[in-house]
Amino acid sequence: DGTPLGHVILRRLGEEGELKRLIVVSTARRRGVGRALTAAVVDLARTGGAERVILQSGRMQPESLTLYAAAGFTLSATGKRPAALHTA
């Protein structure tokens, strides 16, 4: 019916892209919408020349961390961000 099921923001940070504010409406969760939005933003970042994509996610959001891990994100070794993840 054309109603948006979610949104995501891609922010350019030098050679990196930052995935920000991935939101999926509750009625569309667990239907692949978040996975599709994550893949689209990573593809867009890479097409735009980003060497990697980063994001921050709270440790109180285990579903998000599972989604991002399945998309190839890994925890940052820097420890500067509580739950910073990146993909090569």
Side-chain angles (χ1 to χ4, degrees):
D1 69 0
T3 302
L5 299 178
H7 75 263
V8 64
I9 297 170
L10 172 63
R11 178 176 158 193
R12 185 63 187 236
L13 299 169
E15 298 300 317
E16 297 179 334
E18 182 180 19
L19 184 156
K20 296 193 65 76
R21 293 181 186 83
L22 172 62
I23 297 173
V24 176
V25 297
S26 60
T27 56
R29 292 183 186 151
R30 307 205 54 80
R31 294 179 25 203
V33 175
R35 184 173 41 251
L37 288 171
T38 300
V41 85
V42 169
D43 287 346
L44 182 61
R46 290 204 172 131
T47 299
E51 294 180 6
R52 70 181 188 151
V53 179
I54 62 171
L55 62 88
Q56 294 183 41
S57 183
R59 296 191 189 279
M60 300 301 290
Q61 299 169 314
E63 297 86 358
S64 297
L65 296 175
T66 300
L67 168 70
Y68 298 137
F73 286 83
T74 56
L75 287 172
S76 172
T78 64
K80 292 181 181 177
R81 299 179 194 164
L85 298 110
H86 69 280
T87 184

